[in-house]
Amino acid sequence: MKKVTKVFSVMVASVALAAMLSGCGGDKKTAGGDTIKVGGNLEMTGGSASFGISSKNAIELAFKNINDKGGINGKKLELVVADNKSEAAEATNAMQKLVSQDKVVAVIGPNLSSATIAAGAINNGSKVLDIAPMATNPNVTVDPATGKTKEYNFRACFIDPFQGTVMANFAKNDLQATKAAILIDNSSDYAKGLAAFFKENFIKNGGTVVAEESYLQKDTDFKATLTKIKAAAPDILYVPGYYQEVGMIVKQGREMGIEIPMAGGDGWDSAKLPEIAGKAALNNTYFSSLYSPDDDSALNKAFVSEYEKAYKVKPDVFAALAYDSALLVAEAIKNAGDTDPVKIAQSMAKINGFQGVSGTVTFDAQHNPVKSAVIIEHKDGAQTFRTKINP
């Protein structure tokens, strides 16, 4: 509850600040000289730092490739990173810095839904495009109070209703699960959204939810909650959280003898997860994602090869979606023929059939791309492609 109240307070303050920023005509973003500044509102520290580091690496790789080929409209792209520390309040501060001090023409990130929603008042008030690589909550691009699309918010990923439905169908049809327990990160809009859509569709498929429990980000001891879940005797545990807590939940659950399948969303996708949970503990676990490095498209093969060469590790979904986000921003700037942020946002909304490493991007009226999902299975700590599910 404290977390929700804090985010709400930040959003109220952000609206007032955004109004002041939007009124400062002399502060319109322009690209000086031969450089176009693009912001990165990223999780460089905190509980989701793995996401931000992957994203930063990928954006820099994309910009290097573009700049090596002459840049955009004769200018080079420059990434300016602000650390949001994996927190909604800090994401708002980072967005304020990027749009008012660094004078970027567009922003990539955050990855976390709560952070993107909180920071949205700033970039919308300042009329600066923001594209979130992995923020899947519907409210990232749509104002829940009015139902209207946020003019300057976009995303490169599918949304929670599709992701929750995908895993509910996989649990019932592929894993033959009939009784589910759900363990929710109650401080995360992302987790609550996924849990709601998983529950709705699991029940619609004839399943029963036998337990619903919650935790908060940065919790470390889940034994009491897992004891309650074990007593309910589910045949699948759905944990739509982020890798830091998920790793401890999987580890502690296995230590307590909970051997049922565990599943979640793309917040599980991190090389840190096997380190936290233990490789063996992750057997019989699954998560939905937008991307697999095993995709055999020529574009993805080239990306994986370049990323591995540069960073000595395979790209995760956050790298792939950040790479696509960087390419989309570059495409919008090129098509706009201008560095005016308003024109860039208008250009982004018109993108149709863009080929990225994670698939084809065409934005719908709510600034969401329509994309396929993949199910990833862990085998001895390694991610393996299980199946692909089309929208």
Side-chain angles (χ1 to χ4, degrees):
M1 181 62 72
K2 289 181 181 178
K3 181 80 172 181
V4 173
T5 303
K6 183 178 179 183
V7 171
F8 179 75
S9 298
V10 168
M11 291 176 69
V12 171
S14 297
V15 170
L17 177 59
M20 288 189 290
L21 287 171
S22 63
C24 299
D27 287 339
K28 290 292 184 182
K29 316 300 174 297
T30 58
D34 296 327
T35 301
I36 301 173
K37 290 184 178 181
V38 175
N41 188 339
L42 301 172
E43 304 79 11
M44 302 309 299
T45 58
S48 300
S50 170
F51 302 165
I53 293 168
S54 290
S55 297
K56 178 177 179 289
N57 289 345
I59 297 166
E60 288 180 338
L61 181 61
F63 283 3
K64 180 182 183 300
N65 288 341
I66 292 168
N67 289 340
D68 286 349
K69 295 175 182 176
I72 300 296
N73 301 332
K75 296 186 177 184
K76 299 295 180 72
L77 296 171
E78 176 188 350
L79 176 64
V80 181
V81 175
D83 180 12
N84 63 43
K85 302 178 183 178
S86 306
E87 297 179 4
E90 292 295 339
T92 302
N93 293 335
M95 188 69 78
Q96 176 189 338
K97 175 184 179 295
L98 290 169
V99 301
S100 62
Q101 180 177 324
D102 297 315
K103 300 189 183 302
V104 299
V105 302
V107 179
I108 301 170
N111 284 296
L112 307 183
S113 292
S114 296
T116 309
I117 292 168
I122 297 294
N123 70 276
N124 272 276
S126 301
K127 298 183 178 180
V128 176
L129 174 155
D130 174 73
I131 181 166
M134 288 294 294
T136 56
N137 188 284
N139 294 343
V140 165
T141 62
V142 175
D143 183 342
T146 65
K148 294 182 178 179
T149 300
K150 298 176 184 178
E151 190 173 357
Y152 295 93
N153 275 99
F154 296 77
R155 76 178 98 225
C157 54
F158 51 48
I159 59 176
D160 289 340
F162 179 56
Q163 187 172 192
T165 301
V166 161
M167 189 51 77
N169 292 343
F170 176 77
K172 185 68 167 57
N173 300 332
D174 291 65
L175 300 181
Q176 305 300 309
T178 59
K179 297 184 295 180
I182 304 174
L183 182 51
I184 306 167
D185 176 354
N186 214 27
S187 56
S188 165
D189 291 331
Y190 161 80
K192 289 185 284 189
L194 278 185
F197 294 114
F198 173 86
K199 178 181 178 180
E200 176 185 344
N201 286 279
F202 189 75
I203 292 172
K204 189 182 296 183
N205 288 341
T208 302
V209 175
V210 297
E212 289 185 75
E213 300 291 339
S214 64
Y215 64 92
L216 297 175
Q217 286 178 13
K218 300 184 181 180
D219 283 353
T220 58
D221 187 350
F222 303 91
K223 295 184 180 67
T225 300
L226 289 168
T227 297
K228 295 179 184 178
I229 288 173
K230 185 178 181 181
D235 46 28
I236 188 169
L237 173 57
Y238 186 59
V239 191
Y242 295 114
Y243 69 91
Q244 193 71 35
E245 291 81 17
V246 166
M248 290 183 279
I249 289 167
V250 172
K251 177 179 172 62
Q252 292 171 26
R254 296 303 193 218
E255 289 172 348
M256 294 170 59
I258 300 176
E259 300 298 335
I260 59 173
M262 298 187 190
D266 44 40
W268 285 41
D269 194 351
S270 171
K272 295 287 186 182
L273 183 60
E275 297 177 17
I276 300 168
K279 294 180 179 180
L282 281 172
N283 287 333
N284 203 23
T285 67
Y286 311 84
F287 67 90
S288 52
S289 184
L290 286 120
Y291 171 78
S292 169
D294 298 326
D295 189 303
D296 62 359
S297 73
L299 189 61
N300 182 60
K301 285 181 177 179
F303 166 65
V304 171
S305 176
E306 290 177 352
Y307 193 93
E308 283 189 298
K309 182 178 179 180
Y311 305 112
K312 313 306 178 189
V313 65
K314 274 190 174 184
D316 57 18
V317 68
F318 292 88
L321 271 293
Y323 189 84
D324 280 352
S325 296
L327 296 181
L328 285 163
V329 167
E331 181 76 2
I333 295 171
K334 182 186 74 174
N335 292 343
D338 200 318
T339 54
D340 176 5
V342 173
K343 292 180 180 178
I344 293 170
Q346 293 169 345
S347 175
M348 179 73 85
K350 296 175 183 177
I351 286 178
N352 187 307
F354 178 84
Q355 293 295 322
V357 299
S358 65
T360 303
V361 175
T362 296
F363 289 110
D364 65 16
Q366 288 76 45
H367 296 173
N368 303 315
V370 179
K371 287 186 160 184
S372 300
V374 296
I375 301 296
I376 304 295
E377 178 180 1
H378 286 104
K379 292 185 178 179
D380 296 324
Q383 294 186 14
T384 61
F385 176 83
R386 175 66 181 254
T387 188
K388 189 171 188 175
I389 301 174
N390 294 317

